């Protein structure tokens, strides 16, 4: 007998509503949920691949332990005992910092891992905590901390009401939004144009989004220069009008002074954006009542990611679009994590300690992942000797992946919470596989903070977990007993009692408490988990509202437009502008609709068709380098090289080559049968972990200098 279940796709930030039809323990069909208040029936190809993930024969469902170089299945108690014994011994001999932790961005889509896993990782007391944050959104969070007083205050484009949407370093038609939960961006952007508005994309590549909009090419890594020129024009032409929040803003005088040195005519030769285009963009932003500038991964993961992300907020503020309808707004989530985090002392931190080897700053209690390999391989106090990974594949998703690959072999012990033997977990001594997305309940805890509309939705699991399976949060609670509990039997028993209580509470209990205390909760006559269960499609809580100054966490409720950290980094930007030389060939990544970073290439329906791991090269560069369409080339950098097929295309600007992210499934020992047949090359085998944004420690993945040569020429 078939049944229909209502759930959410948890593979990307769009979190589209889905209907899942099942027959017993089989998925029969997955479609978009037309009654979901956010997605209204829209899904992308990844959603249907949840069926492939659920039925994947390569997916682990029981723990495996490495013996004589081979993984063998064991029981949960045996696996937990081994992990606890080894990690406690290493920590006891070498100290807390000998334990390292890495967790990936699927954590953001996993309720149980968020509310039980992340607290466990932080409770270990080690400084060596790493996450995908520093190869993704760290500069956005730093701007929230320094300008508004809280790392969780991330501005969202009010895209459903804007009349001018300026997009930098993002491809929302492919990403489905990022730090902008907005399903069906194609329809939303079309609506902007249909109401007489404009969409302008500033990008080194004519992306899928740019093909539907006005497009300006810009050289990778120069967004901060262009934005500073926009600020220059706003002040020089008397267009800086902050509006309602002007009295709350500090730093206007400092901004005017620093922008004087960056007129468009001076930055244009470096950015590639004509001075007239910069001036026109600044005027349009200043004179359009409802307008917004949106920047994403491309502006974060570059040499000046901190400055570029700061300046996105500055331009929105100076043009009067900060916290205004149609502009750069902030959500009212049903479970409001920001005040809860502040009460727990987690509003954010920056530079309170630094990495042992390279001296890179922590952010939010985490160190930049670019330094993980050297923290493993460099002897001395605090050396990482054991590693826990969860929901991540850093060998493919962080820079200089081959160096990290080699470093992981030097660990004394490694445990991974992951459903696959992938490029990273193949190094583990123990793999603890969690249930899949269709086997666990879901509430969108984090992404509700960055949604273009306020909403709430709870989804029970489509399938019950098997008797031999464990949820992420159950795994983490069991590890907590073994890693955090004292050796005294009586006290260990007390710890188990506490874990039993938390197990009974579960993620649902956390959701219930959060909803009741939240701005839409029962304390205010509104939401509860019981009510959400009665509305399986989700509950629409209305459009974004003005939240400032009440939402600010700074002293005196001020908006700091010119924090000293950013002003102090401007000389570095000025030097880069003055030292720039034409002729540099630089690398950028790109997203693809049927890819999800590195971990959905084992789905046959997502990898079928023509190979997609292809290097885009502009015709002028192809002619100069002797490259032909369809032929193999060698892409090289200071840290390595990969062999890739070439596509000659004017989609990229001259001097820029582009390779998609997430491929490279050809390493020995990987148990991904489909992905291995479509291996491709990892872009992070040629990205240098020494190339960073010096302000934030974020990986400068975009704009790294490379060379390309024809494979045939190399062989001859």
């Amino acid at each position: 007998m078939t049944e229909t279940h209502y759930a959410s796709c948890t593979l990307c930030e769009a979190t589209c509503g889905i209907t899942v039809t099942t027959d017993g323990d089989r998925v029969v069909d997955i479609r978009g949920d037309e009654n979901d208040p956010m997605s209204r029936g829209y899904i992308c190809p990844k959603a249907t691949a949840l069926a492939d993930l659920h039925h994947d024969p390569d997916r682990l469902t029981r723990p495996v332990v490495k013996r004589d170089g081979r993984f063998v299945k064991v029981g949960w108690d045996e696996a937990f005992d081994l992990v606890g014994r080894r990690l406690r011994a290493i920590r006891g001999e070498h100290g807390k910092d000998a334990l390292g932790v890495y967790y990936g961005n699927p954590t953001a889509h996993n309720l149980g891992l968020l509310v039980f896993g992340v607290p466990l990782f932080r409770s270990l007391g080690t400084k060596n905590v790493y996450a995908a944050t520093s190869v993704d959104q760290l500069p956005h969070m730093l701007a929230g901390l320094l300008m508004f007083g809280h790392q969780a205050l991330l501005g969202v484009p009010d895209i459903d009401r804007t009349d001018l949407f300026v997009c930098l370093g993002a491809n929302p038609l492919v990403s489905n939004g990022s730090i902008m939960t907005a399903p069906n961006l194609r329809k939303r952007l079309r609506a902007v144009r249909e109401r007489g508005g404009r969409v302008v994309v500033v990008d080194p590549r004519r992306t899928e989004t740019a093909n539907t909009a006005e497009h300006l090419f810009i050289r990778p890594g120069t967004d901060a220069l262009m934005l500073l020129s926009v600020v220059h024009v706003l002040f020089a032409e008397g267009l800086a009008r902050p509006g309602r929040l002007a009295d709350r803003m500090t730093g206007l005088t400092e901004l005017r002074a620093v922008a004087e040195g960056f007129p468009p005519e001076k930055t244009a030769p470096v950015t590639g954006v004509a001075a007239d285009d910069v001036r026109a963009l600044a005027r349009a932003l200043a004179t359009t009542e409802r307008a917004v500038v949106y920047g994403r991964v491309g502006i974060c993961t570059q040499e000046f990611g901190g400055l570029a992300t700061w300046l996105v907020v500055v331009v929105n503020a100076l043009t009067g679009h900060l916290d205004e309808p149609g502009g750069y707004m902030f959500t009212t989530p049903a479970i409001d994590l920001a005040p809860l985090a502040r009460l727990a002392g987690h509003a954010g931190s920056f530079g309170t300690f630094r990495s042992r080897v390279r001296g890179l700053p922590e952010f939010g209690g985490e160190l930049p992942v670019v330094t993980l390999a050297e923290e493993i391989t460099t002897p001395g106090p605090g050396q990482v000797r054991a590693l826990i990974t969860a929901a991540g594949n850093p060998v493919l998703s962080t820079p200089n992946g081959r160096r990290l690959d080699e470093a992981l072999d030097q660990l004394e012990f490694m445990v991974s919470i992951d459903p696959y033997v992938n490029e990273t977990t193949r190094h583990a001594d123990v793999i603890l596989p969690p249930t899949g997305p269709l086997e666990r309940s879901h509430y969108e805890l984090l992404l509700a903070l960055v949604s273009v509309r306020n909403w709430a939705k709870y989804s029970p699991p489509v399938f019950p977990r098997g008797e031999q399976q464990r949820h992420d949060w159950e795994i983490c609670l069991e590890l907590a007993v073994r890693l955090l509990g004292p050796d005294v039997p009586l006290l260990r028993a007390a710890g188990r009692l506490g874990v039993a209580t938390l197990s009974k509470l579960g993620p649902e209990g956390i959701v219930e408490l959060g909803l009741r205390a939240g701005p839409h909760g029962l304390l205010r006559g509104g939401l509860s988990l019981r009510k959400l269960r009665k509305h399986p499609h989700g509950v629409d809580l209305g459009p974004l509202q003005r939240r400032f100054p009440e939402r600010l966490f700074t002293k005196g409720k001020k908006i700091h437009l010119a924090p000293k950290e950013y002003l102090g980094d401007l000389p570095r930007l000025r030097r880069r502008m003055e030292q720039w030389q034409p002729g540099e060939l630089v690398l950028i990544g790109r997203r693809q609709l049927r890819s999800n970073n590195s971990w959905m290439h084992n789905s046959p329906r997502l990898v079928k068709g023509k190979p997609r791991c292809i290097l885009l090269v502009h015709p002028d560069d192809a002619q100069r380098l002797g490259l032909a369409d369809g032929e193999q080339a060698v892409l090289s950098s200071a840290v390595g090289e990969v062999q890739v097929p070439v596509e000659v295309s004017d989609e990229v600007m001259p001097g820029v080559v582009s390779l998609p992210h997430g491929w490279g499934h050809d390493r020995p020992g990987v148990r991904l049968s489909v992905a291995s047949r479509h291996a491709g090359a990892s872009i992070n085998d040629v990205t240098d972990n020494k190339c960073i944004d010096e302000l934030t420690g974020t990986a400068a993945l975009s704009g790294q200098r490379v060379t390309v040569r024809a494979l045939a020429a190399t062989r001859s």
Side-chain angles (χ1 to χ4, degrees):
M1 180 179 293
T2 61
E3 293 184 74
T4 299
H5 309 260
Y6 301 105
S8 294
C9 175
T10 56
L11 296 180
C12 79
E13 293 183 48
T15 65
C16 298
I18 55 175
T19 62
V20 184
T21 304
T22 61
D23 186 353
D25 62 353
R26 303 293 300 178
V27 177
V28 176
D29 184 55
I30 296 178
R31 300 189 180 190
D33 179 4
E34 295 182 355
N35 294 311
D36 184 282
M38 288 292 291
S39 56
R40 300 293 183 185
Y42 171 82
I43 55 171
C44 82
K46 292 191 289 292
T48 58
L50 284 168
D52 296 346
L53 179 61
H54 181 71
H55 297 300
D56 191 345
D58 291 333
R59 182 167 72 106
L60 301 174
T61 56
R62 294 184 58 186
V64 293
V65 171
K66 190 176 288 179
R67 292 174 179 161
D68 298 323
R70 297 172 59 87
F71 284 113
V72 297
K73 292 181 180 178
V74 298
W76 283 99
D77 285 341
E78 181 179 348
F80 283 132
D81 287 343
L82 174 60
V83 172
R85 184 171 63 253
R86 293 291 288 119
L87 292 183
R88 287 170 68 88
I90 291 170
R91 183 176 61 184
E93 182 177 355
H94 301 287
K96 291 181 179 180
D97 291 336
L99 302 187
V101 176
Y102 174 87
Y103 56 97
N105 57 13
T107 305
H109 314 279
N110 185 324
L111 174 64
L113 200 52
L114 273 175
V115 298
F116 289 101
V118 175
L120 164 66
F121 305 149
R122 299 302 177 87
S123 298
L124 294 174
T126 175
K127 292 179 180 178
N128 284 303
V129 178
Y130 306 85
T133 303
S134 55
V135 285
D136 195 319
Q137 81 282 358
L138 191 158
H140 284 293
M141 300 175 71
L142 179 62
L145 176 64
L146 297 180
M147 302 178 79
F148 309 131
H150 201 300
Q151 65 180 10
L153 288 186
L154 305 178
V156 184
D158 187 13
I159 196 167
D160 292 339
R161 292 184 289 187
T162 198
D163 292 320
L164 174 57
F165 179 72
V166 179
C167 178
L168 285 76
N171 187 9
L173 289 194
V174 168
S175 67
N176 284 304
S178 183
I179 307 192
M180 177 175 61
T181 296
N184 201 348
L185 259 300
R186 184 175 297 275
K187 181 179 179 180
R188 287 182 148 94
L189 292 177
R190 186 170 62 243
V192 174
R193 295 188 294 271
E194 288 175 348
R195 58 179 175 261
R198 298 169 59 198
V199 178
V200 179
V201 175
V202 185
D203 199 280
R205 182 168 76 92
R206 191 170 59 254
T207 63
E208 292 82 352
T209 306
N211 271 327
T212 69
E214 304 170 44
H215 177 226
L216 297 173
F217 278 120
I218 185 171
R219 288 196 177 92
T222 66
D223 300 82
L225 286 173
M226 190 210 71
L227 289 166
L228 267 175
S229 290
V230 169
V231 174
H232 174 96
V233 174
L234 293 174
F235 280 116
E237 299 188 5
L239 298 173
R241 304 183 188 110
R244 175 178 62 90
L245 295 171
D247 291 343
R248 296 277 174 182
M249 296 179 182
T250 68
L252 289 167
T253 301
E254 292 87 342
L255 279 175
R256 179 190 292 271
V258 299
E260 285 182 359
F262 296 91
E265 290 74 16
K266 188 172 183 178
T267 61
V270 182
T271 67
V273 184
D276 287 346
D277 289 331
V278 175
R279 292 185 181 279
L281 185 61
R283 292 163 186 162
L285 286 166
T287 57
T288 303
E289 182 179 358
R290 297 191 173 194
V292 66
V293 181
Y294 164 70
R296 201 37 206 107
V297 175
I299 70 164
C300 287
T301 55
Q302 60 167 276
E303 190 177 0
F304 299 98
L307 290 176
T309 309
W310 161 58
L311 289 165
V312 164
V313 185
V314 166
V315 171
N316 282 308
L318 292 180
T319 53
H321 303 310
L322 179 63
D323 197 43
E324 291 292 336
Y328 193 75
M329 302 196 76
F330 300 84
T331 58
T332 309
I335 299 179
D336 195 352
L337 293 179
L340 296 176
R342 189 180 190 187
L343 285 173
H346 296 306
S349 59
F350 179 54
T352 59
F353 60 88
R354 291 184 173 265
S355 65
R356 178 179 62 104
V357 177
R358 216 188 311 177
L360 300 183
E362 66 80 35
F363 177 78
E366 300 170 2
L367 288 171
V369 73
V370 293
T371 193
L372 175 56
E374 63 203 31
E375 292 294 339
I376 294 172
T377 60
T378 305
Q383 178 184 5
V384 175
R385 298 172 180 270
L387 184 67
I388 302 170
T389 72
N393 190 358
V395 166
L396 293 191
S397 59
T398 65
N400 204 348
R402 291 206 179 276
R403 185 183 181 198
L404 180 60
D405 210 353
E406 295 169 357
L408 294 179
D409 265 342
Q410 299 184 33
L411 291 167
E412 295 181 25
F413 190 77
M414 176 174 165
V415 56
S416 295
I417 303 172
D418 202 281
Y420 286 108
V421 180
N422 62 29
E423 292 74 20
T424 296
T425 64
R426 68 195 176 104
H427 294 281
D429 296 282
V430 180
I431 302 178
L432 305 171
T435 52
L438 298 181
E439 296 160 335
R440 58 178 182 250
S441 60
H442 185 66
Y443 179 89
E444 207 55 74
L445 192 63
L446 274 190
L447 299 185
L449 291 172
V450 291
S451 176
V452 299
R453 192 173 179 87
N454 295 309
W455 58 283
K457 180 178 180 179
Y458 169 79
S459 304
V462 173
F463 297 102
R465 74 162 174 81
E467 185 177 346
Q468 293 300 316
Q469 291 181 285
R470 297 292 184 272
H471 296 305
D472 301 79
W473 63 272
E474 293 176 309
I475 293 171
C476 290
L477 280 179
E478 196 62 42
L479 289 178
V481 171
R482 287 164 167 78
L483 298 179
L484 302 178
D487 292 322
V488 179
L490 182 61
L491 295 178
R492 180 69 65 85
R496 281 208 165 276
L497 181 62
V499 166
T501 302
L502 288 174
S503 296
K504 187 174 182 180
L505 182 67
E508 281 78 6
I510 303 296
V511 170
E512 181 69 81
L513 293 173
L515 288 171
R516 288 177 178 270
H520 306 279
L522 277 181
L523 297 179
R524 295 163 176 83
L527 284 182
S528 66
L529 186 58
R530 181 179 180 183
K531 182 173 182 178
L532 289 184
R533 288 181 185 274
K534 292 180 178 179
H535 293 81
H537 307 288
V539 176
D540 184 1
L541 299 173
L544 304 182
Q545 304 292 325
R546 294 184 179 96
R547 300 300 313 277
F548 288 176
E550 293 78 16
R551 186 69 164 164
L552 293 168
F553 287 82
T554 52
K555 184 178 181 180
K557 301 287 185 181
K558 295 292 185 180
I559 299 167
H560 300 303
L561 293 186
K564 65 180 187 303
E565 291 84 353
Y566 296 122
L567 298 181
D569 199 37
L570 286 172
R572 183 171 65 96
L573 178 64
R574 186 177 292 106
R575 288 193 300 271
R576 179 74 176 104
M577 178 178 66
E578 294 169 350
Q579 295 169 1
W580 178 82
Q581 296 292 328
E584 293 178 334
L585 187 66
V586 297
L587 175 67
I588 62 171
R590 67 181 186 272
R591 298 188 70 157
Q592 298 172 320
L593 190 60
R594 288 189 288 135
S595 284
N596 194 42
N597 296 332
S598 67
W599 70 284
M600 286 299 287
H601 293 151
N602 217 44
S603 164
R605 76 184 77 199
L606 292 184
V607 295
K608 65 182 180 181
K610 296 179 180 179
R612 302 201 306 279
C613 188
I614 295 173
L615 185 73
L616 298 181
V617 182
H618 189 273
D620 293 351
D621 294 318
Q623 183 177 19
R624 175 173 57 87
L625 299 169
L627 304 173
D629 195 78
E631 293 187 355
Q632 295 288 315
V634 178
L635 173 67
S636 304
S637 72
V639 299
E641 62 181 36
V642 293
Q643 181 178 320
V644 288
V646 166
E647 179 180 336
V648 179
S649 171
D650 63 1
E651 181 179 309
V652 290
M653 66 188 297
V656 175
V657 295
S658 173
L659 191 68
H661 166 77
W663 300 88
H665 306 291
D666 55 352
R667 287 162 166 80
V670 172
R671 294 188 186 177
L672 299 167
S673 56
V674 175
S676 296
R677 294 196 299 271
H678 303 80
S682 173
I683 189 174
N684 283 316
D685 285 347
V686 294
T687 55
D688 189 347
N689 63 314
K690 296 293 178 64
C691 293
I692 61 170
D693 171 18
E694 293 179 12
L695 172 63
T696 67
T698 305
L701 300 173
S702 181
Q704 296 210 7
R705 293 152 189 78
V706 294
T707 61
V708 182
R709 64 184 186 275
L711 182 63
T714 302
R715 288 174 175 169
S716 63

